Amino acid sequence: MVGREDGGENGTPNNIDTAAPVSADEKRQKAKVLLGMEEGSTTTVDADDELLATLGYRPELKREFSYLTVFGQSFGAMGIAPAIAESITFSLGSAGAVGMVWTYFTGCILLIPVALSLGELGSSMPTSGGLGYMNVVGYISIYASTIYGATLILGATASIGSDGAFAATKYMNYGMFAATILLTFVMTCVPSKLLSQLNTFYIFFQSVMVLVTIIALAAATPSEYMNSASFVFSDFQNTGYWPNKPVWVVSGFESSATIAEEASNAARAVPFAMVSSLVTALVTGWGLLIAIAFCMGSNVVGIVTSTLGQPFAAIALQSLGTNGSIALLTFIWLASVCNCSILMVAASRETFAFARDHGLPGSSFLRVVNKAKTPARAVGFVAVVSLLEGLLMLVNTIAINSIFNLAIMGLYFAYCMPLISRLCFKHFTPGVWYMGDTLSYISSAYSVLWMTFIFILLLFPSYPHPNPQEMNYAVVVLGFVLIFCLLYYYLPGFGGKTFFTGPIRTIDDIVADNPMLDQDLEQKIRDERERDSDRVAKEGEMMG
């Protein structure tokens, strides 16, 4: 309530200025209640929606995710078994078994402060939104790259099943790529309650796949393919073209933030999921990599250059035989599809949140949720953009593999910006997850330095002196995105500069677009003032 109270003879307030203009803040506070609770209802607005409202956003998505299922979003997005199966080609092809094992362990350890700092941001501002184009591009690219990895697993499985007679062309791969996108699109356009249940299943499924893969390799690998401890932990091989040792980049742990508006107790659940999923991935993923390293044989170059086109498939074939490898790879592919579905959830929520702020072309269309409170249009947008990114596989393998780099680069760029802002401007209100001023500052500064270092490494090509076919196309795609952003923002008369002013307070937006609601809010506020004025007057008379 905003007004003026004057003291009576006994110093008791006895007058409220009921004629004072109704402020925008009064309307906003009243709108929070009316938009979160129907007139006459006895329920109250929960703490999550109240916190969201303080950031200016009206609750539009259903809160169906618990602590466990928010953890499932992060852990499932990391997709330990399928992610490792799809990406060991990079570490094996650069530093052999030792590089594969130790860079993963080191990378996870060095990411823990990053998870803690991002958790602070997620606790302070638990919304689905990220930092604009880079966040959207990052999540869509990581989804597309994982779809591509699943495509290679499926193609290798078919090749094993045909005794090498089947060899997928780049056009066949694109067909499988598109079909997998369609499958995950259907899996993602479901109500939040079902997504929450699926996340619980994904925790179980991904964990079982790690254990099954470790046990299967350890039990079935012939003795001639078993390696010594020194081969796994200390005998470094530079199997790449650079003298540098590789850095394994782990991602997905932060995706819990993308479902913050669908989570209960989001200010605690989101940071908890980030840190706990990363630590869990450190233990389970490192164990899986050690098992692979012990059971892969010593011909690293032969595995990387296998005609199957997929190093893990080659390892599975020599360890488990035809039938065993087909069975394992089929379940790895299914786990990868689940992984892709979770990443599509994350990418679509980022798209929805940025469109809600009017940041994308066609935002008024993309920001709409369906009757099930699911941003299905944003899911469709993610699918279309991913299909376009997938066209890079028609260029060559190096071009499509650059999408892996682009995914991490986009996300790290987006994560660095709010951390740099809080370090430089110190306009930060901590949430319930906070390390204290000193540790928080150190962790944030470290996180910016580490992610900047990784960003620079990911700009490097695979070869020291690349030709056009060997270059890192992530630079090209990233450059296109940056140029598009600048042109779209500064385009005279139509660009984002003419309408984009930063995050939109959707509560204010709704009030401004609904004159009847605006009048209703003002009338309710004045009625409350009259009642308060009468009450104060009666209290003054009684005391007099």
Side-chain angles (χ1 to χ4, degrees):
M1 181 183 68
V2 176
R4 186 182 72 248
E5 296 185 356
D6 298 320
E9 291 182 1
N10 298 317
T12 304
N14 58 16
N15 183 49
I16 295 177
D17 189 356
T18 59
V22 177
S23 69
D25 188 60
E26 284 182 292
K27 291 182 183 179
R28 187 178 302 121
Q29 296 300 323
K30 177 59 67 177
K32 290 177 189 176
V33 178
L34 294 180
L35 294 173
M37 178 176 63
E38 296 294 333
E39 186 71 21
S41 171
T42 58
T43 58
T44 58
V45 183
D46 65 42
D48 292 298
D49 288 343
E50 181 64 24
L51 179 55
L52 184 63
T54 63
L55 299 172
Y57 291 115
R58 176 174 63 102
E60 297 182 72
L61 306 175
K62 287 187 176 181
R63 294 191 181 275
E64 302 281 3
F65 288 80
S66 64
Y67 267 85
L68 180 64
T69 51
V70 174
F71 169 81
Q73 173 68 31
S74 287
F75 186 66
M78 299 179 82
I80 306 302
I84 286 176
E86 292 162 2
S87 57
I88 60 172
T89 182
F90 300 108
S91 55
L92 275 179
S94 298
V98 172
M100 177 180 71
V101 169
W102 285 114
T103 55
Y104 181 89
F105 177 83
T106 306
C108 286
I109 292 292
L110 294 175
L111 272 174
I112 291 176
V114 178
L116 290 169
S117 293
L118 294 180
E120 287 186 332
L121 295 178
S123 180
S124 173
M125 298 166 284
T127 75
S128 294
L131 208 14
Y133 284 106
M134 284 303 177
N135 230 40
V136 173
V137 169
Y139 268 109
I140 292 178
S141 296
I142 202 169
Y143 163 74
S145 65
T146 309
I147 290 284
Y148 178 66
T151 298
L152 295 184
I153 291 284
L154 187 60
T157 306
S159 181
I160 293 173
S162 66
D163 290 329
F166 174 80
T169 66
K170 59 185 179 182
Y171 300 104
M172 291 178 182
N173 279 334
Y174 188 77
M176 290 187 284
F177 179 87
T180 309
I181 285 178
L182 178 61
L183 175 59
T184 54
F185 172 80
V186 174
M187 293 172 64
T188 306
C189 288
V190 296
S192 294
K193 185 174 183 179
L194 180 54
L195 278 178
S196 176
Q197 294 168 345
L198 286 173
N199 274 11
T200 303
F201 169 73
Y202 294 153
I203 296 172
F204 169 78
F205 189 34
Q206 299 289 2
S207 300
V208 167
M209 284 311 305
V210 171
L211 290 175
V212 166
T213 304
I214 292 174
I215 293 171
L217 291 176
T221 300
S223 59
E224 62 265 28
Y225 292 117
M226 296 296 291
N227 294 316
S228 65
S230 61
F231 178 88
V232 173
F233 295 111
S234 60
D235 294 343
F236 173 75
Q237 303 176 56
N238 187 346
T239 52
Y241 294 89
W242 289 94
N244 314 71
K245 299 176 178 61
V247 175
W248 193 299
V249 180
V250 178
S251 66
F253 62 89
E254 75 290 343
S255 71
S256 59
T258 65
I259 59 166
E261 294 180 34
E262 298 166 88
S264 299
N265 201 4
R268 294 183 185 274
V270 166
F272 165 79
M274 287 186 187
V275 178
S276 59
S277 64
L278 179 58
V279 173
T280 304
L282 166 62
V283 176
T284 57
W286 199 44
L288 177 56
L289 284 167
I290 290 174
I292 292 173
F294 269 110
C295 303
M296 62 181 283
S298 59
N299 187 6
V300 176
V301 174
I303 291 171
V304 173
T305 59
S306 166
T307 56
L308 292 175
Q310 219 292 329
F312 181 78
I315 294 171
L317 179 60
Q318 70 183 19
S319 294
L320 307 176
T322 299
N323 293 333
S325 61
I326 289 175
L328 179 62
L329 291 173
T330 299
F331 281 102
I332 289 289
W333 179 78
L334 290 173
S336 184
V337 170
C338 296
N339 181 202
C340 294
S341 176
I342 288 182
L343 290 171
M344 194 176 212
V345 170
S348 63
R349 271 46 177 186
E350 288 297 323
T351 301
F352 159 76
F354 195 37
R356 180 176 58 187
D357 290 336
H358 300 169
L360 291 170
S363 289
S364 58
F365 175 83
L366 294 174
R367 65 179 290 186
V368 176
V369 297
N370 60 18
K371 293 181 180 180
K373 300 295 183 181
T374 300
R377 295 181 181 181
V379 177
F381 176 82
V382 172
V384 171
V385 175
S386 297
L387 286 170
L388 294 176
E389 286 189 340
L391 292 174
L392 282 174
M393 73 177 66
L394 303 181
V395 179
N396 58 35
T397 302
I398 293 177
I400 188 62
N401 282 340
S402 67
I403 295 298
F404 282 92
N405 291 358
L406 178 66
I408 304 302
M409 289 161 61
L411 291 177
Y412 278 13
F413 184 94
Y415 298 155
C416 280
M417 291 302 102
L419 292 175
I420 291 173
S421 295
R422 65 165 294 194
L423 289 171
C424 294
F425 304 108
K426 300 181 180 179
H427 294 161
F428 177 69
T429 303
V432 293
W433 179 282
Y434 189 56
M435 294 180 284
D437 293 345
T438 302
L439 283 178
S440 177
Y441 184 90
I442 294 172
S443 181
S444 296
Y446 163 83
S447 298
V448 171
L449 292 174
W450 174 250
M451 289 189 286
T452 301
F453 171 66
I454 296 297
F455 186 96
I456 294 171
L457 286 184
L458 293 176
L459 288 170
F460 278 66
S462 299
Y463 305 91
H465 305 288
N467 58 38
Q469 288 72 41
E470 297 169 345
M471 70 173 288
N472 184 349
Y473 280 84
V475 178
V476 177
V477 180
L478 179 64
F480 171 80
V481 172
L482 293 176
I483 292 172
F484 170 79
C485 292
L486 290 173
L487 292 177
Y488 178 59
Y489 185 75
Y490 287 106
L491 187 66
F494 301 96
K497 190 176 181 180
T498 62
F499 60 84
F500 182 70
T501 57
I504 301 295
R505 300 179 68 95
T506 55
I507 291 177
D508 292 347
D509 217 13
I510 293 169
V511 172
D513 292 341
N514 293 270
M516 295 295 293
L517 175 61
D518 188 38
Q519 294 175 16
D520 185 48
L521 290 173
E522 187 163 335
Q523 186 59 50
K524 288 180 182 296
I525 292 170
R526 293 191 182 281
D527 290 345
E528 285 186 0
R529 286 180 180 178
E530 292 287 348
R531 289 195 296 271
D532 289 343
S533 179
D534 292 343
R535 176 182 55 78
V536 170
K538 289 179 181 179
E539 289 176 354
E541 291 175 0
M542 292 175 62
M543 294 181 68

